[in-house]
Amino acid sequence: MIFLRKILFPLAILYGWITQLRNFLYDKGILKSFAFDIPVIAVGNLSVGGTGKTPQIEYLIRLLSKENSVATLSRGYKRESKGFLLANELSSAASLGDEPYQMHLKFPDVQVAVDADRKNGIEQLLTQKIKPQIIVLDDAFQHRRVRAGFYILLTTFDELYVDDYMLPTGNLRESSSGARRADIIIVTKCPATISEADRKKVKDKLKTNAPLFFSTVSYDDSVYSLASSLKVDELRSMSKLLVAGIAKPKPFFAYLQNDSDEIMVFPDHHQFTESDVASMVKSAGNNPIITTEKDFVRLREHQLSSPLFYLPIKTTLIADGDQLDQIILNYVGKSTRNR
C-alpha cells in the first residue's frame, strides 16, 4: 500500500492543483459562497478521517446549548436516505448515518440534521418551527459553498497536516495552506502528559497565527449497555470481545485489552451484516462484547445474544480551556449582535 501511494505521487500533484484552483475561485468570488445571519461554526480537518470531529462537536454542543438553541448539520456519511433529513423518534443509524444518530441519542434536545448540500440543509433548518440560534457544521472545512462565520480546524498530534501529503500519496484533502482559513486550530489526540516544551515544538512546526489549542481523548471509567454498566477497572481483568469499526482503533483497544481478549477490526463506518454479528457472537461465547460508541449505534439495531456494551469518549482540553470557550462564545455573541 505504501509503495502504491508513492507511485501515485503525480496524481497527488494534480489533485493539489485542482483543489488550489477551486479555493482560488472561491477566494476571488468567482465561485459563490453563501453566508447566513446566524452564528455558523464549521468543524473539520485537512486530512481524511480520524481527527476527532465528533467529540469536538459534542464539546461545542455542551458549551453552547446551555443558553442557546443549537442544531448540528452533517452530510450523514453512508446513510441510506437522500436529501435533507431532521432526526426524530423514527430515525436510525441507517437513515441518518452513525455519527449523527449517535448525537441525536446523546443530545435529544438538539436538532440533528443531515444533508450533503449544506446550503440547503441550513435553509431547511431555518424554516423549522423551532429555529436554531446556532448551527454547527460537521466535516465542512472544504465545503466552500457555505461561508461559515467561524472555522475550527483539527489535526492529530501524531499526524500533523504539515507532515502529510496530498491524496492519494498521503491523506490531505487540500494543501496545508488551507489552514489559513481557520479561526482556531486544535491539535487533537495528544498524550495527556504532553509538556509545554512539546506544545511549543508543535506550534513552531505549524507556523500559524491562529490561536492554537491542544486536546486529549478521555475515556469513561465505565462501559454501558442499554440496561446496565460495568466499571472499566473490573472489565480489564475479564475475558471479552473488543469490536471497532473506526478510523484509528488502537487507543480504544489499548485502554481495555488484556491478553485473553478477542479482537475484531472493521473499516471505519462499517455497515454490520448478520454474518458479522454471527461471527461476533461466536467469538464472544459467554463473554461480553465491548465496542465504541459510534459502532454501538449500528450494532444495537441487530439482535445479539451476547451482552453488548460501549465505551464513551470525550475531548478534554490541555490548558487554556477557558480561553477556547471564551473565543467561541465571543464569536457567537458578536455574530448575534451584528444580525
Side-chain angles (χ1 to χ4, degrees):
M1 178 63 76
I2 293 174
F3 174 74
L4 179 61
R5 283 194 165 207
K6 286 182 177 179
I7 65 173
L8 291 175
F9 185 68
L11 290 180
I13 295 174
L14 176 62
Y15 182 67
W17 287 343
I18 292 170
T19 57
Q20 283 185 330
L21 174 61
R22 176 177 179 270
N23 282 328
F24 173 81
L25 294 175
Y26 272 111
D27 291 340
K28 297 300 181 182
I30 299 168
L31 292 178
K32 189 175 181 182
S33 294
F34 296 87
F36 295 86
D37 65 350
I38 68 167
V40 176
I41 300 173
V43 178
N45 46 32
L46 297 182
S47 62
V48 290
T51 57
K53 292 185 297 294
T54 300
Q56 185 59 49
I57 288 171
E58 292 181 358
Y59 180 98
L60 292 174
I61 290 172
R62 292 187 182 98
L63 173 67
L64 298 171
S65 62
K66 296 172 186 175
E67 298 183 2
N68 302 278
S69 171
V70 177
T72 69
L73 176 64
S74 65
R75 62 172 169 158
Y77 184 61
K78 285 196 173 182
R79 63 185 171 118
E80 295 175 0
S81 59
K82 300 291 183 183
F84 176 81
L85 188 64
L86 184 64
N88 57 41
E89 65 278 1
L90 299 178
S91 296
S92 65
S95 63
L96 287 177
D98 49 17
E99 289 165 343
Y101 186 54
Q102 174 185 322
M103 277 186 249
H104 172 58
L105 294 176
K106 207 165 189 176
F107 304 101
D109 294 331
V110 168
Q111 292 170 293
V112 176
V114 291
D115 196 334
D117 182 344
R118 304 301 207 286
K119 174 180 176 287
N120 181 69
I122 293 174
E123 290 170 346
Q124 292 297 321
L125 278 168
L126 295 179
T127 65
Q128 300 302 310
K129 186 175 180 181
I130 300 175
K131 182 178 174 180
Q133 296 168 304
I134 302 169
I135 295 176
V136 179
L137 301 180
D138 176 20
D139 197 13
F141 202 81
Q142 284 78 36
H143 199 89
R144 300 294 306 273
R145 191 161 177 254
V146 167
R147 188 167 68 252
F150 195 87
Y151 287 91
I152 299 176
L153 176 65
L154 308 181
T155 185
T156 59
F157 177 79
D158 289 333
E159 295 179 324
L160 299 171
Y161 58 80
V162 292
D163 295 329
D164 208 344
Y165 297 93
M166 295 293 299
L167 287 166
T169 298
N171 293 312
L172 290 182
R173 297 168 169 177
E174 62 173 304
S175 74
S176 58
S177 63
R180 291 196 293 261
R181 298 197 304 276
D183 291 284
I184 61 172
I185 297 174
I186 302 177
V187 182
T188 63
K189 302 186 179 181
C190 298
T193 56
I194 185 173
S195 66
E196 189 173 344
D198 285 338
R199 297 201 300 270
K200 186 178 184 306
K201 286 179 185 176
V202 172
K203 184 172 183 178
D204 291 343
K205 200 170 189 179
L206 294 182
K207 297 177 181 176
T208 179
N209 293 321
L212 183 64
F213 298 91
F214 296 81
S215 71
T216 187
V217 170
S218 299
Y219 290 104
D220 204 300
D221 60 3
S222 296
V223 295
Y224 302 87
S225 71
L226 292 176
S228 62
S229 64
L230 290 170
K231 287 290 185 183
V232 168
D233 288 344
E234 193 180 322
L235 185 68
R236 285 196 183 104
S237 61
M238 298 167 56
S239 294
K240 54 194 173 291
L241 171 65
L242 300 176
V243 176
I246 58 176
K248 297 173 183 176
K250 285 184 180 179
F252 165 75
F253 293 138
Y255 184 69
L256 297 173
Q257 189 176 1
N258 68 51
D259 292 338
S260 67
D261 291 342
E262 295 286 334
I263 286 178
M264 294 182 74
V265 182
F266 294 90
D268 194 17
H269 299 281
H270 180 69
Q271 299 296 328
F272 296 105
T273 65
E274 292 302 328
S275 175
D276 294 331
V277 171
S279 296
M280 289 178 207
V281 171
K282 183 177 179 181
S283 296
N286 295 321
N287 299 321
I289 300 172
I290 317 298
T291 191
T292 69
E293 195 168 8
K294 186 167 79 171
D295 293 313
F296 181 80
V297 300
R298 279 174 276 126
L299 282 170
R300 62 178 277 173
E301 297 177 358
H302 295 268
Q303 297 297 320
L304 279 79
S305 56
S306 301
L308 177 68
F309 294 84
Y310 69 90
L311 175 68
I313 65 170
K314 67 177 181 178
T315 188
T316 302
L317 268 292
I318 300 171
D320 304 322
D322 290 343
Q323 182 185 349
L324 171 66
D325 292 354
Q326 198 56 58
I327 290 173
I328 294 168
L329 292 172
N330 284 347
Y331 157 69
V332 169
K334 182 180 179 182
S335 177
T336 303
R337 288 193 300 272
N338 287 343
R339 287 177 58 184

